[in-house]
Amino acid sequence: MLIVSQNLVNYDVSLPDNVVYRINLAWISDLDTLISILEKFEKNDIFLDLPKNRTKPPNNRYSMDELKPIIEKYSNIKYFAISNIDSYDDLLPFLEYIKKGITLVPKIESPKGVNNIKEISESLGSKKIVMLDHDDLFSSMLKLKEDPNNFQNYIKTLIEFCNKNDVTLLRTIGVVFADDEKRISEYIS
C-alpha cells in the first residue's frame, strides 16, 4: 500500500493509479474544503487522518458528529486514522461512527500505545492496520523523561508484534520539501 499526501498532485510527480491519498484533517480549514478534496479524488481511495489530542499546529478540530455524514456519503474514504491511540478505550468512541467497509487505523505515538499494541490490534476488524508516528513517539518519550536509547526498542517491539500477528504497520518513508509553496494554511490549490 502506498499512501501519499494528496498535495503531491500539485507538483509534476508521477504516481501509480492505485495510490491512496491521505488527507490530514489538521490541515483542513473547513469541511467544505474537505468535501472538495474528496470530490476531486473521487476515483481514488482516501486515507482520512483525524488528529486527536494534537498539540502542534495546525490544530483544526472536527467532531465525529460533523464528520459522520461526510464519511457515510463518500465511498472513496477507505481508511480512517485516529491519532494518539494508547489503548482500546481510546478507540471505543470512534467505533460507532465508522461504517462497514472503512478500515480503522490507530496511530501509535507513545510508549503506552506500543505497550498496548496487542489490545489495540485485537479491537480492529479482520483487516488490521496500525500507523507509527516516529517523531511523536520520540517526543512522547522525552516528555515522559524516558531514556532516548529506548526509542529503537519500542520500534523493534512494534515491528516484531505486527510481523508475528499479521498486522500491517504503516511507517513514514521520506518526506517531500518544496521551495515554491506560497499558501500558509490552505491544503488544496
Side-chain angles (χ1 to χ4, degrees):
M1 176 185 324
L2 178 62
I3 302 171
V4 301
S5 168
Q6 99 291 345
N7 283 320
L8 276 180
V9 300
N10 296 329
Y11 301 91
D12 190 20
V13 176
S14 178
L15 297 169
D17 292 337
N18 65 342
V19 71
V20 176
Y21 288 109
R22 175 179 179 246
I23 301 172
N24 185 345
L25 289 169
W27 289 89
I28 302 297
S29 56
D30 58 67
L31 293 176
D32 289 334
T33 300
L34 172 61
I35 290 168
S36 69
I37 295 170
L38 291 168
E39 290 174 354
K40 180 178 179 178
F41 297 105
E42 67 183 343
K43 294 181 179 160
N44 294 90
D45 288 350
I46 298 295
F47 186 100
L48 197 58
D49 195 335
L50 177 68
K52 180 178 82 70
N53 301 328
R54 182 179 170 107
T55 56
K56 59 189 174 190
N59 198 4
N60 294 313
R61 296 172 195 260
Y62 299 103
S63 73
M64 287 305 297
D65 288 332
E66 291 174 299
L67 293 172
K68 184 177 181 174
I70 295 169
I71 292 169
E72 290 176 348
K73 180 176 180 181
Y74 292 91
S75 60
N76 54 337
I77 299 172
K78 301 292 184 189
Y79 305 92
F80 190 81
I82 304 166
S83 299
N84 297 301
I85 299 299
D86 288 334
S87 68
Y88 168 75
D89 290 340
D90 292 335
L91 279 176
L92 200 52
F94 299 95
L95 294 174
E96 70 182 83
Y97 290 98
I98 303 305
K99 69 179 186 174
K100 191 172 184 159
I102 295 179
T103 301
L104 191 62
V105 181
K107 291 176 69 177
I108 308 300
E109 304 180 62
S110 71
K112 187 175 180 183
V114 173
N115 292 333
N116 289 330
I117 188 61
K118 183 177 189 301
E119 168 191 314
I120 292 167
S121 67
E122 287 176 349
S123 68
L124 302 174
S126 59
K127 191 173 186 179
K128 296 179 184 313
I129 301 175
V130 297
M131 181 181 246
L132 170 63
D133 188 317
H134 298 86
D135 295 343
D136 287 345
L137 172 60
F138 191 77
S139 294
S140 176
M141 289 176 60
L142 293 178
K143 286 179 191 170
L144 295 168
K145 299 187 183 344
E146 282 202 32
D147 183 350
N149 292 319
N150 289 334
F151 179 68
Q152 294 295 333
N153 293 332
Y154 282 118
I155 293 174
K156 183 178 176 188
T157 297
L158 193 57
I159 291 170
E160 287 176 357
F161 175 86
C162 290
N163 287 340
K164 288 179 184 174
N165 293 281
D166 199 28
V167 176
T168 301
L169 177 60
L170 301 175
R171 299 172 61 189
T172 306
I173 303 172
V175 178
V176 176
F177 292 88
D179 67 347
D180 62 348
E181 181 60 55
K182 304 298 182 229
R183 298 167 297 165
I184 295 173
S185 64
E186 291 302 314
Y187 206 46
I188 66 169
S189 303

